[in-house]
Amino acid sequence: MTEDIRPRRDPRDAPAYTFKEAAHYLGTPRATLRAWCLGYSYVHEGKRKTLRPVIDIADRKQRMMSFFDLVEAHVLDALRRRHEVSLQKVRKALDYLSRSSARPSRHPLAVQSFATDGLDLFLDEYGRLIDLSREGQLGMKQILMTYLKRVERDELGDAVRLYPFTRKRDLDEPRAVVIDPQVSFGRPVLIGTGIPTAVIADRLKAGDTIDELARDYGRTTGEIEEAIRCELKVA
């Protein structure tokens, strides 16, 4: 039997999430996500103009995002927390980052170099484009770092796991839910179990109590509550 030596596609780069799923996991408006991933057209002074997408998604034809795309959208969401994101200026800042980076990447927001020297390069250029003060840039950096700390990376610095926010994007928000492309087809799972949060939420809706779920899965009630928040977005 001949060994298959064809290179296998990295599951982190494979189409896995619809815009609806990604928007739900990230708590980002679907229309905003579509604009980031597909760009958009508008009419200015009688002329139609097109803004390029910010995220180079895995399958634009089928409108499917990969795990890397999901991480990039997670980071971009930090910019939305502070002010309206200008796609054109984010794109220009990323183009500048790509030209200046020692390690160019199709997913510049999902690699370790962005979390280190790339973050300052990006903010300097983006701040210049939108006339953001140095104080404003420092405030935005703090927000971005809060998001970046919820991304786990491999030895090369590439994202391997994402711990999505389940509450209000607080700095000390618990990491009870993880998205790992190697586990449960990249669906959010209760950390340490591999059990999809959707399964836990379905059991709750079917009548199981939080205490019963905690006993069954050997987790704390707080962790079960976070898994339910991920799916049902309850207060």
Side-chain angles (χ1 to χ4, degrees), residues 23-71:
H24 176 72
Y25 299 155
L26 299 176
T28 302
R30 201 186 312 180
T32 299
L33 196 60
R34 285 170 56 89
W36 291 346
C37 297
L38 300 177
Y40 66 90
S41 298
Y42 65 99
V43 176
H44 178 67
E45 296 180 349
K47 295 183 179 179
R48 178 167 293 279
K49 297 188 175 183
T50 300
L51 292 183
R52 289 187 296 147
V54 178
I55 302 174
D56 184 11
I57 60 173
D59 191 334
R60 189 171 300 171
K61 183 176 181 181
Q62 299 297 325
R63 301 186 176 184
M64 295 288 290
M65 299 175 66
S66 70
F67 172 76
F68 282 144
D69 301 330
L70 197 69
V71 171

Side-chain angles (χ1 to χ4, degrees), residues 180-200:
D180 183 337
Q182 303 281 1
V183 178
S184 192
F185 303 100
R187 267 47 203 166
V189 299
L190 178 62
I191 193 167
T193 68
I195 304 298
T197 54
V199 171
I200 296 171

Side-chain angles (χ1 to χ4, degrees), residues 55-97:
I55 302 174
D56 184 11
I57 60 173
D59 191 334
R60 189 171 300 171
K61 183 176 181 181
Q62 299 297 325
R63 301 186 176 184
M64 295 288 290
M65 299 175 66
S66 70
F67 172 76
F68 282 144
D69 301 330
L70 197 69
V71 171
E72 290 206 285
H74 166 79
V75 176
L76 277 175
D77 188 67
L79 297 176
R80 281 193 68 250
R81 299 301 116 191
R82 193 59 178 257
H83 53 70
E84 287 292 327
V85 174
S86 166
L87 265 189
Q88 183 179 20
K89 291 172 181 176
V90 169
R91 179 73 269 173
K92 285 183 178 179
L94 287 175
D95 287 344
Y96 173 80
L97 176 63

Side-chain angles (χ1 to χ4, degrees), residues 195-213:
I195 304 298
T197 54
V199 171
I200 296 171
D202 284 344
R203 286 191 57 181
L204 180 78
K205 288 186 285 186
D208 286 334
T209 68
I210 289 176
D211 286 338
E212 288 171 338
L213 292 169

Side-chain angles (χ1 to χ4, degrees), residues 101-130:
S101 176
R103 186 193 171 198
S105 171
R106 178 186 168 194
H107 303 286
L109 300 177
V111 296
Q112 179 67 42
S113 58
F114 178 78
T116 52
D117 57 309
L119 180 55
D120 288 325
L121 283 172
F122 173 82
L123 284 175
D124 283 346
E125 182 67 8
Y126 185 64
R128 184 185 68 79
L129 291 169
I130 66 172

Side-chain angles (χ1 to χ4, degrees), residues 3 40 50 74 105 133 152 168 215:
E3 182 181 358
Y40 66 90
T50 300
H74 166 79
S105 171
S133 69
E152 189 175 327
K168 297 181 179 179
R215 285 196 300 271

Side-chain angles (χ1 to χ4, degrees), residues 131-146:
D131 196 25
L132 185 65
S133 69
R134 174 56 59 179
E135 182 180 352
Q137 289 185 41
L138 289 174
M140 183 174 286
K141 183 175 182 178
Q142 290 178 336
I143 295 173
L144 280 162
M145 288 305 300
T146 298

